[in-house]
């Protein structure tokens, strides 16, 4: 395997295989080139990418070769935007009705790579606005992530606007929430908190975006939201059945506890362990949240003591 040989020895063979007629062989060559960081092969990678773009689905079924080449150029931090712009415009429908666009992953990869090129931020954002309308949610998600990588005030405003328009897949909206938090920091928590109020998938994406900041303020916000939900549910349970509304799916509560665990704050771990120890109704959910968050040895030991060990 060429991945196992020194880079200096692999380079000549990889240069030859990048010119092969087989997209499968080119795909493997691109992966090895990226693995060894063979930046000197950049011209050959660009040439292969342009060739497979022109070849279409007949020359590269499932777009695997083009995707591997684009990833190699991204790994090389290639500065010329031209290949990535071409990849962002590329579509490849395959299969039987309904046809599948196998180039969605390619467009998303090229969108993220475009940010690192010599193209000015304003030009990058203009292209991302177009991709936010792509038919495939994976591309729209990548476009939102690319906008966040630009990291300017204009980027944050675009993401806020897209999120507040709603009507998209949860993962796209989640990328918007997370991007705004990365750009604006603590000051954006109250904005994201508004999306946390509805117990649906976008609401859960908001919880996970808050969690990913690892901020203590985020932990307190998630904890407050969880306790509000629990107070509501307990009130519902205490009312006569004919007077009470239907309880929300407990999925949202479990998700909030998972988000709290994933803040990886010591305060969060301590609080979740208190739930395990003191609140039997919620102990199993808190235990599961901790066990799924790559807990420390101390946390695992404490769960053992409480008779709620993580399964091995």
């Amino acid at each position: 395997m060429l991945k196992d040989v020194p880079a200096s020895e692999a380079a000549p063979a990889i240069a030859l295989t990048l010119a092969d007629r087989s997209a499968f062989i080119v795909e493997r060559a691109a992966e090895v080139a990226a693995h060894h960081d063979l930046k000197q092969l950049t011209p050959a990678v660009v040439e292969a990418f342009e060739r497979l773009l022109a070849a279409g689905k007949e020359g590269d079924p499932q777009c695997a070769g083009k995707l591997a080449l684009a990833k190699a150029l991204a790994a090389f931090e290639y500065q010329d935007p031209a290949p990535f712009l071409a990849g962002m415009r590329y579509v490849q429908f395959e299969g039987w009705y309904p046809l599948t666009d196998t180039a969605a992953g390619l467009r998303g990869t090229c969108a993220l790579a475009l940010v690192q090129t010599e193209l000015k931020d304003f030009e990058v954002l203009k292209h991302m606005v177009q991709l936010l309308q792509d038919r495939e949610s994976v591309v729209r998600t990548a476009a939102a992530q690319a906008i966040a990588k630009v990291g300017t005030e204009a980027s944050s405003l675009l993401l806020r606007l897209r999120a507040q328009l709603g009507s998209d897949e949860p993962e796209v909206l989640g990328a918007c929430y997370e991007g705004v938090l990365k750009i604006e920091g603590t000051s954006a928590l109250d904005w994201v908190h508004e999306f946390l109020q509805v117990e649906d998938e976008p609401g859960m994406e908001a919880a996970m975006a808050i969690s990913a900041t690892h901020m203590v303020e985020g932990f307190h916000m998630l904890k407050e939201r969880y306790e509000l939900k629990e107070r509501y549910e307990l009130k519902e349970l205490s009312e006569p059945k004919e007077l009470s509304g239907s309880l929300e799916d407990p999925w949202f509560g479990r998700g909030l506890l998972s988000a709290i665990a994933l803040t990886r704050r010591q305060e969060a771990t301590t609080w979740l362990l208190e739930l395990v120890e003191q609140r039997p109704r919620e102990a199993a959910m808190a235990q599961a949240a901790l066990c799924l968050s790559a807990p420390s040895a101390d946390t695992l030991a404490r769960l053992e003591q409480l008779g709620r060990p993580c399964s091995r």
Side-chain angles (χ1 to χ4, degrees):
M1 292 290 292
L2 287 173
K3 281 187 178 180
D4 300 324
V5 302
S8 58
E9 296 178 21
I14 295 303
L16 287 174
T17 52
L18 283 169
D20 198 277
R21 293 179 60 185
S22 167
F24 176 78
I25 293 175
V26 172
E27 175 191 354
R28 294 293 177 264
E31 290 172 351
V32 177
H35 174 76
H36 285 301
D37 194 29
L38 299 174
K39 289 187 174 71
Q40 67 269 35
L41 297 182
T42 297
V45 174
V46 172
E47 183 180 346
F49 184 70
E50 292 172 346
R51 186 176 73 251
L52 291 188
L53 278 179
K57 64 182 179 182
E58 290 78 14
D60 181 25
Q62 301 300 309
C63 239
K66 292 184 283 290
L67 179 59
L69 291 162
K71 287 180 176 179
L73 289 175
F76 296 163
E77 298 183 345
Y78 188 55
Q79 291 296 295
D80 186 348
F84 302 123
L85 290 171
M88 287 165 53
R89 293 190 292 266
Y90 187 79
V91 295
Q92 183 166 305
F93 290 108
E94 300 184 60
W96 301 100
Y97 184 83
L99 297 175
T100 300
D101 183 359
T102 59
L106 173 65
R107 295 198 297 280
T109 295
C110 289
L112 289 166
L114 189 69
V115 180
Q116 69 192 25
T117 68
E118 63 189 11
L119 206 61
K120 292 182 179 179
D121 289 346
F122 180 69
E123 294 298 320
V124 172
L125 291 178
K126 284 200 299 184
H127 289 292
M128 295 309 146
V129 168
Q130 292 295 319
L131 281 195
L132 282 175
Q133 304 174 71
D134 194 277
R135 64 175 63 83
E136 301 291 339
S137 63
V138 66
V139 183
R140 299 195 300 275
T141 300
Q145 292 168 340
I147 290 170
K149 285 178 67 177
V150 172
T152 62
E153 291 179 349
S155 305
S156 188
L157 287 175
L158 278 175
L159 294 173
R160 279 175 172 260
L161 175 61
R162 184 65 198 88
Q164 289 179 209
L165 289 173
S167 302
D168 208 333
E169 295 298 319
E171 59 267 26
V172 180
L173 299 175
C176 294
Y177 307 149
E178 190 167 344
V180 171
L181 284 167
K182 284 180 179 177
I183 295 169
E184 298 185 29
T186 309
S187 63
L189 279 172
D190 286 341
W191 176 76
V192 179
H193 181 261
E194 293 302 312
F195 300 98
L196 189 61
Q197 302 314 302
V198 181
E199 298 187 10
D200 57 8
E201 290 187 6
M204 186 50 56
E205 290 287 345
M208 290 301 175
I210 292 170
S211 171
T213 67
H214 306 297
M215 298 176 186
V216 66
E217 297 90 347
F219 158 62
H220 288 301
M221 186 172 284
L222 293 169
K223 175 175 175 285
E224 179 182 327
R225 179 65 180 90
Y226 176 80
E227 290 181 329
L228 177 64
K229 174 181 174 59
E230 287 303 301
R231 286 196 297 273
Y232 168 76
E233 291 191 352
L234 287 171
K235 180 176 182 293
E236 288 279 304
L237 288 170
S238 68
E239 292 178 350
K241 187 174 182 181
E242 63 271 20
L243 296 178
S244 64
S246 61
L247 293 178
E248 299 288 348
D249 188 334
W251 160 83
F252 195 76
R254 290 194 299 270
L256 285 172
L257 291 180
S258 293
I260 289 168
L262 290 171
T263 63
R264 308 204 185 284
R265 305 284 313 184
Q266 184 56 51
E267 302 94 322
T269 299
T270 300
W271 181 73
L272 288 167
L273 287 170
E274 288 175 0
L275 292 189
V276 174
E277 183 177 12
Q278 301 172 14
R279 290 157 69 170
R281 181 172 174 266
E282 300 151 72
M285 292 196 303
Q287 172 207 12
L290 286 167
C291 290
L292 291 172
S293 66
S296 67
D298 288 344
T299 301
L300 289 171
R302 182 61 181 143
L303 287 170
E304 291 267 5
Q305 292 174 358
L306 294 172
R308 293 270 187 180
C310 296
S311 58
R312 302 192 184 278

